[in-house]
């Protein structure tokens, strides 16, 4: 086995608020340096050598994952206009193939497509495998057709940096249009199909400008429709399902503003703010026609922590507000989608997602009921303003991804498709439940568990446990099925999710209590969950592995410092472990936007001191009994730079961490490698390390 690379120590002084930190590994940030690339390649070589004994297991796991997936498969077709749109995959191909077939007039029941059998009248719109030829990385961004279905727009990224190039094809002739728009973030057609609306990013990788490109004209002549100058705000845009308004949405972590352009008039007209921007007020909206009047339904948190839903006149949105769903503590309203005759409301209560149908006349909400105690459900794939069916996505820890359609006349749930799991999968062989840990301040923290029944109930005897966590941005880790996870469960591992503060599982206050100067709650909650699993007999430290990615990787780094002896291993994916260095530097991508989440250590000495007290890289303990650590990153990640885990691993190794490894994908982005087979191999690599760590290799 190769010796672990030892990075050279080169002093870089960073002084803020009277405090000086000497950073010995900041030089690793020079991405274009041959020395830095050489160091990363040496880390990869060392990791490969250190885990050489797992090559066979990795292949076994890959084949298990692959063997459970119906490789030749089709999605449930979605009707838009006169066509059914769907995608399919073929055995041996990395990427999806996007297609359509004509819809019969008045037929809203999606055609039953059978894998391996040609679809009558199929038109291939885009083959991702053809697009990816000659490229190590491929990501499909925008994908849109004109309302008259005669043109196709799509965008591609071949680097992993999330900058996409838009192209357009005439679907009648098959010819490519000369229009090509590089460096975009999002893109879609104008309602009349003669132009493309797209967003671009600034130097900090922040989407900040909306443009109009008229097909057949030079990109240099594109019209700037809106620019957001404030570095704390992102920009996005879309068209209401009613096709009446262009919505321009700008927002930070805590503040938002939406502007409208009436599409019955001039697209280049000055966008009209719905509600003026106010610090700390977030809102989102949709358009409906109620009793012949154009109304905007606005979901907001102005004096309503868990949000309320109001209705206002589209002609006078800052006028009278009619409360549709009042604020109700503990019922976190998440989203509202308007259709011609009703609206859907998605909300969260007691840690679970729920979907209800809103009657425009009575304001009554009729919930869609599901049987399982833990599940995820949401409105998905409903582009039409009017349809007799409402499509819903559903899953749980034991139920594969499922597409239901709610018959709006009978309120019956119709099963359209459930992901096929090959190899005789029976959901009754597995079980799920929720436990509750108690944090040091008395807060009850939910833990979701899933396991294979044949190994007994968790707690009947200590088992290997895989504990996952995230805990930032009000992002919830909801129940979801994973084919790859079956390789763990079938070997006796209990998979658990710690729903720590900083996420959104228990409402907005749950998020507020895990951010800014309360961020430590995220870390101590996770440790409390681990302690609960240990004290209840579910786990033992020697066979307990923690995992988290991105901001969840920050959680992993903090937990490694706080409770290194409570875990056998820590798997950190694209980990945000050098948080203070990043958040101090406004020239880095996305930093200023992040101040709402973490605080502003550049200008606030209290925030600086607080972040320095927990940021993993700066709190590594010399001689501490660290567990095994595997950090996985990507060279082209534009969100969490590779340098963060590279510095962290270098410092851990010098501090005496006995078994710390870094794997850096040299052609990938924040989401890792592209292509489904490559993704399965990457997960097999991580699972092999995990199984080895808990003694099941």
């Amino acid at each position: 086995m190769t010796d672990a690379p030892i990075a050279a120590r080169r002093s870089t002084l960073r002084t803020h608020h009277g405090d000086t930190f000497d950073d010995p590994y900041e030089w690793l940030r020079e991405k274009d340096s041959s020395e830095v690339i050489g160091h990363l390649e040496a880390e990869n070589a060392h990791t490969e050598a250190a885990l050489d004994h797992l090559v066979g297991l990795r292949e076994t796991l890959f084949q298990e994952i692959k063997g459970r997936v119906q490789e030749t498969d089709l999605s449930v077709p979605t009707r838009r206009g006169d066509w059914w749109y769907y995608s399919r995959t073929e055995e041996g191909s990395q990427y999806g193939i996007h297609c359509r077939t004509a819809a019969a007039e008045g037929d809203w029941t999606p055609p039953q497509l059978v894998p391996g059998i040609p679809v009558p009248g199929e038109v291939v719109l885009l083959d991702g495998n053809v697009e990816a030829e000659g490229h190590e990385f491929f990501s499909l961004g925008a994908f849109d057709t004109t309302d008259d279905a005669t043109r196709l727009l799509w965008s591609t990224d071949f680097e992993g940096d999330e900058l996409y190039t838009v192209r357009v094809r005439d679907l009648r002739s098959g010819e490519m249009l000369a229009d090509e728009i590089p460096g975009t973030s999002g893109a879609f057609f104008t309602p009349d199909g003669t132009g493309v609306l797209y967003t671009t990013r600034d130097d900090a990788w922040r989407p900040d400008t909306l443009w109009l490109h008229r097909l057949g004209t030079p990109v240099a002549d594109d019209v700037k429709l809106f620019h957001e100058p404030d570095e704390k705000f992102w920009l996005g845009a879309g068209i209401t399902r009613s096709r009446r308004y262009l919505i321009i949405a700008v927002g930070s972590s805590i503040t938002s503003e939406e502007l409208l352009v009436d599409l019955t008039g001039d697209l280049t007209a000055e966008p009209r703010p719905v509600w003026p921007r106010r610090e700390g007020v977030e809102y989102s909206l949709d358009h409906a026609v109620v009793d012949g009047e154009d109304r905007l339904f606005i979901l907001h948190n102005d004096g309503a922590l868990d949000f309320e839903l109001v209705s206002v006149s589209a002609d006078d949105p800052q006028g009278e507000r009619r409360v549709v769903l009042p604020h109700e503590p503990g019922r976190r309203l998440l989203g509202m989608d308007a259709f011609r005759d009703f609206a859907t409301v998605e909300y969260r209560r007691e840690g679970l997602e729920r979907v209800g149908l809103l009657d425009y006349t009575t304001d009554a909400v009729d919930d869609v009921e599901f049987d399982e105690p833990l599940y995820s459900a949401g409105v998905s794939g409903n582009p039409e303003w009017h349809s007799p069916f409402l499509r819903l996505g559903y899953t749980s820890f034991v139920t594969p991804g499922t597409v239901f359609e709610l018959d709006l006349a009978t309120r019956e749930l119709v099963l359209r498709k459930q992901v096929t799991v090959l190899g005789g999968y029976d959901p009754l062989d597995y079980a799920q439940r929720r436990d509750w840990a108690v944090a040091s301040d008395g807060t009850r923290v939910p833990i979701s568990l899933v396991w294979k029944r044949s190994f007994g109930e968790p707690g009947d005897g200590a088992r290997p446990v895989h504990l996952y966590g995230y805990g930032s941005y009000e992002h919830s880790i909801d129940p979801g099925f994973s084919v790859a996870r079956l390789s763990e469960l079938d070997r006796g591992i209990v998979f658990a999710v710690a729903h720590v503060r900083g996420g959104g599982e228990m409402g907005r206050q749950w998020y507020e209590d895990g951010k800014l100067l309360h961020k430590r709650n995220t870390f101590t909650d996770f440790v409390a969950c681990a302690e609960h699993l240990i004290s209840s007999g579910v786990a033992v430290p020697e066979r307990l592995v923690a995992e988290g990615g991105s901001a969840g990787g920050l959680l992993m780094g903090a937990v490694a410092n706080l409770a290194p002896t409570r875990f056998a291993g820590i798997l950190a994916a694209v980990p945000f472990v050098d948080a203070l260095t990043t958040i101090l530097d406004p020239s880095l991508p996305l930093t200023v936007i992040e101040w709402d989440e973490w605080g502003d250590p550049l200008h606030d000495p209290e925030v600086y001191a607080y972040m320095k007290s927990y940021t993993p890289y700066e709190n590594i303990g010399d001689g501490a009994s660290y567990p095994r650590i595997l950090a996985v990153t990507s060279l082209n990640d534009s969100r969490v730079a590779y340098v963060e885990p590279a510095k962290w691993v270098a410092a851990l190794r010098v501090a005496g961490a006995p078994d710390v490894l870094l794997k850096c994908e040299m052609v990938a982005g924040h989401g890792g490698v592209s292509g489904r087979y490559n993704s399965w191999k990457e997960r097999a690599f991580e699972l092999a390390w995990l199984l080895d760590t808990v003694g099941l290799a």
Side-chain angles (χ1 to χ4, degrees), residues 19 57 60 85 100 123 127 157-158 233 329 335 384 448 452 478 491 500 540 576-577 580 592 604 624 632 685 688:
D19 176 75
L57 178 59
T60 297
Y85 291 83
R100 72 181 182 185
V123 178
D127 186 336
D157 167 23
F158 297 120
F233 286 80
E384 289 293 303
S448 296
K452 191 168 186 178
D478 291 310
R491 288 171 170 81
V500 296
V540 290
F576 185 43
V577 283
L580 184 54
V592 175
D604 189 330
V632 179
F685 178 93

Side-chain angles (χ1 to χ4, degrees), residues 479-560:
F481 187 79
S482 165
V483 163
R485 189 187 302 138
L486 295 178
S487 291
E488 301 180 66
L489 303 182
D490 288 351
R491 288 171 170 81
I493 290 178
V494 176
F495 179 78
V497 177
H499 301 285
V500 296
R501 281 175 283 185
E505 287 89 341
M506 303 295 287
R508 172 50 70 92
Q509 192 61 53
W510 198 251
Y511 168 52
E512 297 289 344
D513 289 344
K515 64 183 291 194
L516 299 173
L517 296 178
H518 304 289
K519 189 63 202 171
R520 277 185 166 272
N521 286 335
T522 302
F523 316 140
T524 53
D525 282 1
F526 191 88
V527 174
C529 290
E531 294 290 359
H532 170 83
L533 294 173
I534 294 167
S535 64
S536 62
V538 175
V540 290
E542 297 78 17
R543 305 185 83 189
L544 174 59
V545 170
E547 180 184 5
S550 195
L554 165 65
L555 170 61
M556 294 299 101
V559 164

Side-chain angles (χ1 to χ4, degrees), residues 113-132:
L113 308 185
V114 180
I117 296 179
V119 178
E122 177 178 271
V123 178
V124 175
L125 301 176
L126 187 77
D127 186 336
N129 303 286
V130 174
E131 293 291 309

Side-chain angles (χ1 to χ4, degrees), residues 26 305 479 519 625:
E26 179 63 12
L305 182 66
K519 189 63 202 171
S625 299

Side-chain angles (χ1 to χ4, degrees), residues 629-648:
I629 293 175
L630 173 62
V632 179
T633 188
S634 300
L635 184 65
N636 294 327
D637 192 334
S638 59
R639 302 192 191 191
V640 179
Y642 72 90
V643 67
E644 297 204 25
K647 290 168 64 174
W648 182 52

Side-chain angles (χ1 to χ4, degrees), residues 413-449:
L413 274 176
V414 181
L415 175 65
R416 295 303 189 196
K417 182 180 177 67
Q418 187 170 88
V419 171
T420 300
V421 182
L422 302 179
Y425 175 75
D426 185 348
L428 295 179
D429 291 341
Y430 303 84
Q432 56 182 347
R433 78 174 191 222
R434 177 154 288 172
D435 279 7
W436 296 85
V438 179
S440 56
D441 63 359
T443 300
R444 298 177 73 239
V445 183
I447 311 172
S448 296
L449 296 92

